[in-house]
Amino acid sequence: MNSKPETRAFEAEVSQVLHLVTHSLYSHKEIFLRELISNASDACDKLRFAALSDASLTGDDAELRIEIVADKDARTLTIRDNGIGMTREEVIENIGTIARSGTRRFLESLSGDSRKDTQLIGQFGVGFYSAFIVADRVTLVTRKAGAAAGDGVRWESGGSGEYTLEAVDAPERGTSVTLHLKEDETEFLDNWKLRELITRYSDHVAFPIRLPKMEDGKPTAGFETVNHAAALWTRAKSELTDEDYQGFYKSLAHDYNDALAWTHNRVEGSQSYTLLLYVPEKPPFDAVFTGRDERKGLKLYIRRVFIMDASEQLLPSYLRFVRGVVDSDDLPLNVSREILQDNRLVAQIRAACVKRTLDLLEKLAKDEPEKFAQFTNAFGNVLKEGIAEDGANRERIAKLLRFASTASDGDAKTVSLDDYIGRMQAGQDAIWYVTADSFAAAKSSPLIEGLRAKGVEVLLLGDRIDEWMIGYLGEYGGKKLRNAAKGELDAADGAEKERREKAAAEARPLLDRLAAMLGDRVAEVRVSDRLTESPSCIVLGEYDMALHMQRLLREAGHDVPDSKPILEINPAHPLVQRLAGEDDAARSEDLGRLLYEEAQIAAGDQLADPAAFIARVNRLLHA
């Protein structure tokens, strides 16, 4: 028996989403059907899994299906499934609330570009609300599997910020969503249009999607299946086209962009499983990408039964951008997360997922460099995490990394470590690099002036992760990676060594004077082998952390061990020569401090007293 409807208000963020969906998103209206079919498929998947341990949940209606019915007279479109259904509490939680941390980012990401904005639907748990793109009122009736017929729930909203709830009789389990279409959305009442959209977006859905049979242009009481109703990954690769793979990816990942690349493999033997793995073109907008512990891009099936979003067990964190399906024939069907983590077969599947993904990326790098450049721009920094996290594959991952360098044009990351080694000078035994806060800071760093003058290529690492990542790499291809900002450069031989020793001897009085001025701020003051144009630079010990990284860690609240840098000077520079000839003690102090503070800034360090630095510069300018 129906109860009196209860009116409730949406949460504030849901109201904002409803308003934006209703009033701002007009392109690709048909996406609503894909989202509602996807929800229905999920409901069927959940019931199929639950029925493994409780067969009574399906009762005498074991054939799971999705039905779509258009009523032209009433101007309604109904999508119904006989899946798991929902209780009253679940309706409030799943429909009245968007329980995702990404919702606010969704709202902030909306730009006013309707074509772009529509692509965000589904990525933030707002797929159901896409119904309001074409409907001015939505009615949902649901009953949980295993519940009594009188435990049905009816939800309805006009998308205006409120919804009503009431208890109803629901003879059948599952969920029915009825869209009361807007005046100008008549096209979605045509059977041919619905059939075309199902084929385009949902042909891969593993449950029958049925439409009424048509006779003389009118629907009958009978139904016919319009999709393949088979899991795409179970079909032979020879049967599938690129369009099939792309269509499946878009539905799986809720992405309007095409996948960049994919790999589809069937493994048989002591363990049998199927992998279908995709690399997206672009990162997703929500926390699935930004949250390291929220990896849900890879779905685990066991004999076509959906088990869980299990990326955290089947893929390491540095491959969290991968989307796809793993379908195993051998894992126990009563598997739980805890068992999954410790299962030997899972470890084998995980290793296979990593291998196939790296194989795919290597093939992309070799055969389609333009696409691989897209991948590098989108996910290169995520892949760098693998240098620290996956020692077994460190060499393979390093081979895939791309960097900017002094030999490349602009800030494009196009140089591989193999490219660098292939261009090394005769007798060069190290891969030189410099890290900084940005590409521009790395490119103009005083620390690489000497290397550039000799024609030695230097990798320019301007991403925050680079300093941390490179500490785990150490060497590649038998060549040690050396930071131009740390330690001493290679010792010179012959005339060059003699020239350096002479310059150091001539500058000894100035070096001692600077050391006395700076006191315990520095460990040493010495003549530089690095500088050709700048007056000074800061050099660290071989195992010290870069100054810009120390600053970032302090800003994040971490304790950083104290270390004293070395100040190197260029005796040929006019500023250093001015200091050497300065008799006034005050100006001499200002010049000495200025050399040190300029070097600090160039190295990415933060001055302890910026106001004093500015006053010092002003005094010297007016001197």
Side-chain angles (χ1 to χ4, degrees):
M1 181 177 294
N2 291 16
S3 65
K4 183 178 178 180
E6 174 189 357
T7 301
R8 301 170 68 103
F10 285 110
E11 289 193 353
E13 288 188 357
V14 180
S15 296
Q16 294 177 58
V17 170
L18 282 171
H19 178 80
L20 287 164
V21 167
T22 306
H23 297 93
S24 301
L25 306 179
Y26 298 109
S27 298
H28 302 300
K29 297 176 183 179
E30 66 267 19
I31 192 173
F32 81 90
L33 189 62
R34 183 193 76 180
E35 294 301 319
L36 295 179
I37 290 175
S38 180
N39 289 345
S41 175
D42 288 344
C44 291
D45 257 332
K46 290 176 181 177
L47 179 58
R48 185 165 62 174
F49 182 51
L52 293 172
S53 55
D54 185 358
S56 67
L57 292 176
T58 56
D60 57 0
D61 186 17
E63 183 193 1
L64 300 172
R65 60 193 177 275
I66 302 165
E67 295 176 345
I68 301 174
V69 178
D71 187 331
K72 292 187 177 181
D73 295 332
R75 296 186 56 78
T76 61
L77 180 66
T78 300
I79 298 93
R80 64 189 182 216
D81 65 76
N82 62 342
I84 194 71
M86 291 181 283
T87 63
R88 176 187 174 89
E89 291 72 24
E90 289 171 336
V91 169
I92 294 171
E93 179 181 355
N94 296 330
I95 307 298
T97 304
I98 299 178
R100 291 288 300 276
S101 62
T103 306
R104 187 168 298 281
R105 290 194 63 197
F106 169 79
L107 297 171
E108 293 171 352
S109 297
L110 291 171
S111 65
D113 180 344
S114 57
R115 185 179 184 88
K116 174 184 175 185
D117 294 344
T118 307
Q119 297 175 16
L120 302 178
I121 289 180
Q123 293 182 321
F124 292 85
V126 297
F128 173 80
Y129 300 105
S130 64
F132 288 100
I133 297 174
V134 297
D136 52 23
R137 183 160 52 94
V138 177
T139 303
L140 178 146
V141 176
T142 185
R143 194 197 88 194
K144 187 81 170 183
D151 291 335
V153 181
R154 185 176 187 270
W155 176 100
E156 186 170 275
S157 176
S160 60
E162 292 183 340
Y163 62 92
T164 61
L165 272 177
E166 60 181 307
V168 295
D169 287 329
E172 298 179 350
R173 70 162 191 270
T175 301
S176 171
V177 180
T178 300
L179 283 62
H180 303 264
L181 298 178
K182 299 174 182 177
E183 287 296 326
D184 55 349
E185 306 301 345
T186 307
E187 63 176 319
F188 298 112
L189 295 173
D190 291 328
N191 187 276
W192 68 267
K193 178 67 173 179
L194 296 173
R195 184 182 294 266
E196 187 265 332
L197 292 176
I198 292 168
T199 301
R200 187 194 312 173
Y201 292 119
S202 305
D203 194 51
H204 67 279
V205 171
F207 302 97
I209 302 174
R210 309 200 307 184
L211 289 174
K213 290 182 179 179
M214 304 296 289
E215 290 184 5
D216 300 325
K218 295 182 179 180
T220 66
F223 284 86
E224 61 179 338
T225 299
V226 296
N227 66 323
H228 273 90
L232 176 137
W233 62 88
T234 64
R235 295 163 59 189
K237 288 192 284 186
S238 58
E239 298 177 6
L240 300 172
T241 64
D242 287 356
E243 289 74 18
D244 292 329
Y245 281 114
Q246 294 287 16
F248 177 65
Y249 165 74
K250 289 175 181 178
S251 179
L252 177 78
H254 296 284
D255 193 345
Y256 238 97
N257 298 302
D258 285 340
L260 192 66
W262 61 86
T263 179
H264 185 188
N265 307 98
R266 172 70 182 169
V267 177
E268 294 182 337
S270 59
Q271 185 180 9
S272 299
Y273 55 88
T274 300
L275 303 178
L276 177 53
L277 308 176
Y278 290 92
V279 174
E281 275 188 355
K282 298 178 181 178
F285 289 87
D286 66 348
V288 171
F289 180 72
T290 57
R292 289 170 57 89
D293 296 326
E294 296 185 46
R295 288 166 275 140
K296 298 186 181 297
L298 200 60
K299 296 181 181 294
L300 173 65
Y301 288 77
I302 298 177
R303 293 190 286 279
R304 269 64 68 198
V305 177
F306 175 70
I307 304 299
M308 66 179 74
D309 294 306
S311 295
E312 55 266 47
Q313 282 84 33
L314 297 178
L315 276 177
S317 174
Y318 72 92
L319 295 179
R320 60 186 178 274
F321 51 82
V322 173
R323 300 291 182 264
V325 167
V326 175
D327 190 351
S328 172
D329 294 343
D330 305 305
L331 290 174
L333 279 171
N334 62 348
V335 69
S336 68
R337 277 187 193 274
E338 290 73 24
I339 297 173
L340 189 61
Q341 289 172 341
D342 298 328
N343 191 292
R344 178 181 57 84
L345 300 179
V346 171
Q348 294 177 13
I349 294 176
R350 177 186 172 98
C353 287
V354 172
K355 180 181 183 302
R356 294 295 184 182
T357 301
L358 295 179
D359 288 346
L360 177 62
L361 294 177
E362 287 172 354
K363 184 176 185 297
L364 203 63
K366 178 181 178 182
D367 299 337
E368 300 182 82
E370 290 185 2
K371 283 190 174 182
F372 189 74
Q374 281 184 269
F375 166 80
T376 296
N377 291 334
F379 303 108
N381 282 349
V382 182
L383 187 65
K384 288 175 183 176
E385 296 173 14
I387 296 295
E389 296 177 6
D390 190 354
N393 288 298
R394 184 170 293 153
E395 192 85 359
R396 292 191 71 185
I397 297 167
K399 189 181 185 69
L400 292 167
L401 300 183
R402 298 293 183 268
F403 307 95
S405 92
T406 53
S408 60
D409 296 328
D411 60 354
K413 298 174 183 176
T414 58
V415 178
S416 70
L417 294 175
D418 287 331
D419 293 335
Y420 184 102
I421 291 173
R423 292 195 290 262
M424 287 174 63
Q425 297 182 354
Q428 183 181 341
D429 61 356
I431 299 172
W432 289 96
Y433 69 91
V434 65
T435 61
D437 269 335
S438 65
F439 165 79
K443 183 178 181 181
S444 59
S445 173
L447 296 159
I448 63 173
E449 291 174 357
L451 292 170
R452 296 184 72 168
K454 295 176 183 177
V456 175
E457 183 175 0
V458 181
L459 299 178
L460 306 175
L461 311 186
D463 294 315
R464 289 190 172 187
I465 192 175
D466 288 335
E467 178 74 20
W468 173 78
M469 176 273 295
I470 210 78
Y472 287 90
L473 187 54
E475 68 173 45
Y476 176 82
K479 304 294 184 181
K480 184 178 180 181
L481 275 78
R482 291 199 57 186
N483 192 334
K486 296 182 179 180
E488 295 192 45
L489 297 189
D490 297 329
D493 294 324
E496 178 67 13
K497 181 178 181 181
E498 185 177 337
R499 185 193 65 78
R500 292 182 184 180
E501 290 175 349
K502 181 180 179 182
E506 291 175 350
R508 177 52 54 192
L510 178 59
L511 298 177
D512 293 340
R513 191 168 152 200
L514 270 171
M517 286 180 192
L518 299 174
D520 60 3
R521 294 183 183 87
V522 296
E524 181 187 352
V525 181
R526 67 190 183 200
V527 172
S528 180
D529 296 330
R530 292 173 166 85
L531 301 174
T532 60
E533 300 171 9
S534 300
S536 60
C537 66
I538 290 288
V539 178
L540 302 174
E542 193 68 40
Y543 302 104
D544 289 344
M545 186 183 300
L547 295 178
H548 73 277
M549 183 59 66
Q550 293 182 28
R551 173 173 55 79
L552 292 173
L553 289 174
R554 289 192 187 99
E555 290 172 355
H558 297 286
D559 292 329
V560 178
D562 290 332
S563 61
K564 293 182 181 180
I566 296 167
L567 177 67
E568 291 191 350
I569 63 169
N570 176 9
H573 194 277
L575 188 60
V576 177
Q577 292 177 351
R578 180 180 172 185
L579 172 59
E582 182 60 66
D583 295 327
D584 184 275
R587 282 197 297 271
S588 181
E589 178 78 17
D590 281 345
L591 284 167
R593 294 288 296 275
L594 183 63
L595 285 174
Y596 175 65
E597 290 169 338
E598 280 186 350
Q600 278 186 292
I601 294 171
D605 198 8
Q606 190 169 357
L607 298 182
D609 190 351
F613 168 75
I614 293 170
R616 201 164 6 260
V617 172
N618 290 339
R619 285 195 298 271
L620 291 170
L621 288 173
H622 286 87

